[in-house]
Amino acid sequence: MNKYAKFAAMIATSTLVMFGLMYLNTYSLDHVFFSETRAYMALVMGASMAIVMLLFMLGMYDNTRTNVVILAGSALVFAGALWLVRSQETVDDVSYMRAMIPHHSIAVLTSRRAHIADARVRELADGIIEAQVREIDQMKALIEDLEQREAAK
């Protein structure tokens, strides 16, 4: 495998790993749903990493034309993925809820596991837990209902 193919494999693997790592702070495994937004953010990070790593290791990669293509392609992926994250253009009802469940789960994890001493903060955290768990259950039910309706069409 040539050095540019290894570079591409390294960036692709790292991007996939970063996508997976974004789910490590969910409270429960049943709160892990595919998220378009997280996928786009992984692409933003992967493209950024490709640019930074190539520039740091430029001495190892001596094909100027290929380097320019990698840098320009990475910049385009970065810009496109960032636009998708910021605009939420492709996110529909179900995609939105699949992204929000892990997000809510993070609030449950931090609210349950933080070492909170102040009673007022504990009360706030308990309210967050209650609301987030209720909303996660509501979103799961809505996803199921919407998917059943779509399948029935």
Side-chain angles (χ1 to χ4, degrees):
M1 181 183 293
N2 78 37
K3 59 187 168 187
Y4 284 104
K6 282 185 181 179
F7 182 82
M10 176 179 58
I11 297 300
T13 301
S14 297
T15 301
L16 287 171
V17 168
M18 285 185 283
F19 175 73
L21 289 173
M22 284 189 263
Y23 288 95
L24 288 180
N25 58 348
T26 53
Y27 180 71
S28 174
L29 211 51
D30 68 321
H31 295 168
V32 175
F33 286 80
F34 175 78
S35 165
E36 287 180 46
T37 301
R38 287 171 190 244
Y40 300 145
M41 278 307 301
L43 289 173
V44 165
M45 291 184 282
S48 300
M49 185 174 61
I51 292 167
V52 169
M53 290 180 74
L54 183 62
L55 291 175
F56 265 95
M57 301 185 300
L58 211 48
M60 294 173 53
Y61 298 96
D62 52 2
N63 186 322
T64 303
R65 184 169 190 243
T66 302
N67 293 345
V68 168
V69 168
I70 291 170
L71 292 170
S74 296
L76 283 173
V77 169
F78 175 88
L82 183 61
W83 179 80
L84 288 166
V85 167
R86 302 287 302 165
S87 71
Q88 295 290 289
E89 187 66 31
T90 63
V91 177
D92 61 15
D93 295 348
V94 171
S95 299
Y96 164 77
M97 290 183 291
R98 287 186 177 176
M100 290 306 294
I101 290 171
H103 172 76
H104 279 41
S105 186
I106 294 166
V108 173
L109 177 93
T110 55
S111 296
R112 283 203 170 138
R113 299 214 172 132
H115 299 283
I116 298 170
D118 188 285
R120 297 167 300 171
V121 178
R122 181 73 264 158
E123 182 180 351
L124 175 65
D126 290 343
I128 289 170
I129 293 165
E130 181 183 326
Q132 301 300 298
V133 168
R134 182 181 65 251
E135 291 171 6
I136 288 169
D137 291 342
Q138 184 179 6
M139 286 185 280
K140 284 181 176 181
L142 281 168
I143 289 169
E144 186 176 330
D145 181 62
L146 290 169
E147 286 178 339
Q148 286 176 355
R149 286 182 185 198
E150 188 63 31
K153 288 183 183 179

